[in-house]
Amino acid sequence: MLTFPSNQRVFLACGSTDLRKSIDGLAAIVQESFGLNPFSSGLFVFCNRACNKLKILYWDHSGFWLYYRRLERGRFQWPTDKEEVVAISSRELRWLLDGLSLSQRQAHPKVNAVSVI
């Protein structure tokens, strides 16, 4: 199970990506197509055409991590918007990984805790 900090920046590459690409190819997409820095602390998420596989590119202080997920049944509710990249929260990424849509309305609203002294 992957856990990410709640303030982790997550960027989705909308539409489909050729997942034969590995770290260098995905980092080039992040930099050249999206104008973002692949060496930043964000997660860059890519999905294949069938929406049953995804890769997450993540830079850690000394190298890249490449996470790969393949569903045996079902599909990810992947956005097919015209935008090339969409910023989402790590909570919304967990929704996608769990098979939920980004626009789903079943989740409880986020509550910001207020510390009381």
Side-chain angles (χ1 to χ4, degrees):
M1 177 178 163
L2 296 176
T3 56
F4 301 112
S6 60
N7 62 348
Q8 181 71 55
R9 296 179 335 162
V10 180
F11 299 96
L12 298 183
C14 294
S16 63
T17 301
D18 181 358
L19 291 190
R20 292 177 291 181
K21 295 183 185 305
S22 193
I23 291 171
D24 294 335
L26 296 174
I29 291 173
V30 169
Q31 188 169 15
E32 295 170 10
S33 297
F34 304 152
L36 298 171
N37 183 1
F39 298 99
S40 67
S41 63
L43 297 170
F44 301 96
V45 189
F46 305 88
C47 190
N48 68 338
R49 186 178 308 184
C51 294
N52 64 348
K53 299 173 188 164
L54 62 78
K55 286 186 176 181
I56 301 174
L57 182 67
Y58 173 67
W59 172 258
D60 193 10
H61 65 281
S62 61
F64 281 104
W65 284 94
L66 185 62
Y67 300 98
Y68 180 76
R69 171 106 167 131
R70 181 185 74 189
L71 297 177
E72 294 301 319
R73 291 191 181 107
R75 297 168 48 107
F76 293 108
Q77 300 296 313
W78 199 256
T80 57
D81 300 340
K82 301 274 188 216
E83 298 178 52
E84 291 182 348
V85 66
V86 172
I88 64 170
S89 68
S90 59
R91 182 177 189 220
E92 291 170 317
L93 175 60
R94 287 191 301 273
W95 291 350
L96 280 176
L97 294 175
D98 287 340
L100 300 172
S101 169
L102 289 176
S103 62
Q104 58 92 17
R105 309 225 188 281
Q106 298 299 320
H108 297 288
K110 182 178 178 179
V111 175
N112 292 324
V114 178
S115 61
V116 178
I117 298 176

